[in-house]
Amino acid sequence: MAKKNQTYKSALNEQDGITPPESLSSDSAKTIKVNRQKKPSIQDLVSGITSGDISALSRAITLVESTNSTHTQKAHNIITACLPFANKSIRIGITGVPGVGKSTFIEAFGCHLTSLGKKVAVLAIDPSSSLSRGSILGDKTRMEDLVKDKNAFIRPSPSGDSLGGVARKTRETIILCEAAGFDTIIIETVGVGQSETAVHSMVDFFLLLKLAGAGDELQGIKRGIIEMADAIVINKADGDNVKAAKLAKVEFNRALHLYPSKESEWSPKVSLCSALKQEGIPEVWGMIKDYKSTTTSNKYFEVNRNNQNKFWLLQTIEERLKSNFYNSAKIKAELQAQIKLVETGKTTPFAAAEYLLSF
């Protein structure tokens, strides 16, 4: 029988390893730290953006997305300076249910456009957790070929609490990307919902990706999203799924005939593609070019952009009023007091709201 205090030598033991060499010289590390600490001026960032400097563009977008009041003012000045260089692109919104292959499609589509000499900016909106408020922001990882293309720029942003899967500052980011010389802006949303009006109100062409056999063909899917779509592209039309995709195309074409004519005088099209095999991608781009040609000739393209600017004016006012309200020191204090009164049943949510809005 083993003694109570007897110790045993474990088979698991740690040996001294070899110290790996430094992967970065101390001089290089010092230079990187100094550059990170530098805060470029507004003029430096604007000059960098208009000359196509991706680092300046990324820094400016970070300022735009920041909620810091100092950053907000700086971002406003940058956007104002970039406005004369904007509005020279085609803006494409791409949406679809999770799993439809949005990232794969955008990569194949983007690579096709860059092969034609286009400069493509992808603004990928990643869903934010309602619990931790965090986002994965993994779109660059999924678009591994496009991210290496010198004529492409991919910027993932968290959706936050915005409806429709659109980041709060996507509209301003579009202006910066256009000023940087990107002639094709692609906005990828987190999914399909009735609130997708947000992305529709900032793009020229709205593309809906669908899957065959998803059970939506006969009911014409969600009426709101179909009415907004300028094209329906059925993805994953390859292998054994080709037959089902062709049947779905027929059903979607029938469903589109039930909707009233668009103000743009454009008849929405249904197309098949396989993003994985890069089939049907040129046809999608041809469809978008036809749309732009049609809407430019009948003046709808310009009218639509003017209407969108009016919409975003009102949205910005609402956002600023909301921000000013919640950032008020007096409101912060009174809000907590009213919450306690509501929790103890001494007032109603409606009465508390009226009281707070009276300040």
Side-chain angles (χ1 to χ4, degrees), residues 174-194:
I174 291 174
I175 295 172
L176 297 181
C177 289
E178 289 177 338
F182 291 97
D183 51 34
T184 309
I185 313 293
I186 298 174
I187 303 174
E188 176 196 2
T189 67
V190 298
V192 175
Q194 293 298 326

Side-chain angles (χ1 to χ4, degrees), residues 247-260:
L247 289 173
K249 180 180 179 180
V250 173
E251 295 295 340
F252 279 122
N253 271 319
R254 288 174 179 169
L256 287 172
H257 288 303
L258 301 175
Y259 295 95

Side-chain angles (χ1 to χ4, degrees), residues 252-279:
F252 279 122
N253 271 319
R254 288 174 179 169
L256 287 172
H257 288 303
L258 301 175
Y259 295 95
S261 300
K262 288 179 172 286
E263 187 182 347
S264 61
E265 299 178 11
W266 167 260
S267 299
K269 315 293 184 191
V270 183
S271 178
L272 302 179
C273 86
S274 170
L276 188 63
K277 294 189 175 182
Q278 300 183 2
E279 297 173 351

Side-chain angles (χ1 to χ4, degrees), residues 235-247:
N235 193 22
K236 302 184 181 181
D238 48 46
D240 297 334
N241 204 35
V242 173
K243 184 177 180 181
K246 289 181 177 178
L247 289 173

Side-chain angles (χ1 to χ4, degrees), residues 139-209:
D139 297 274
K140 281 191 173 184
T141 305
R142 290 184 290 176
M143 302 179 194
E144 56 183 27
D145 290 328
L146 188 61
V147 76
K148 293 180 287 188
D149 196 313
K150 64 179 182 180
N151 287 323
F153 171 70
I154 303 175
R155 175 75 182 204
S157 298
S159 63
D161 56 1
S162 300
L163 292 176
V166 180
R168 185 174 57 91
K169 297 293 185 178
T170 303
R171 181 67 178 82
E172 289 88 339
T173 303
I174 291 174
I175 295 172
L176 297 181
C177 289
E178 289 177 338
F182 291 97
D183 51 34
T184 309
I185 313 293
I186 298 174
I187 303 174
E188 176 196 2
T189 67
V190 298
V192 175
Q194 293 298 326
S195 52
E196 290 294 80
T197 5
V199 67
H200 182 257
S201 64
M202 66 175 72
V203 298
D204 305 309
F205 189 90
F206 193 61
L207 189 152
L208 172 63
L209 282 179

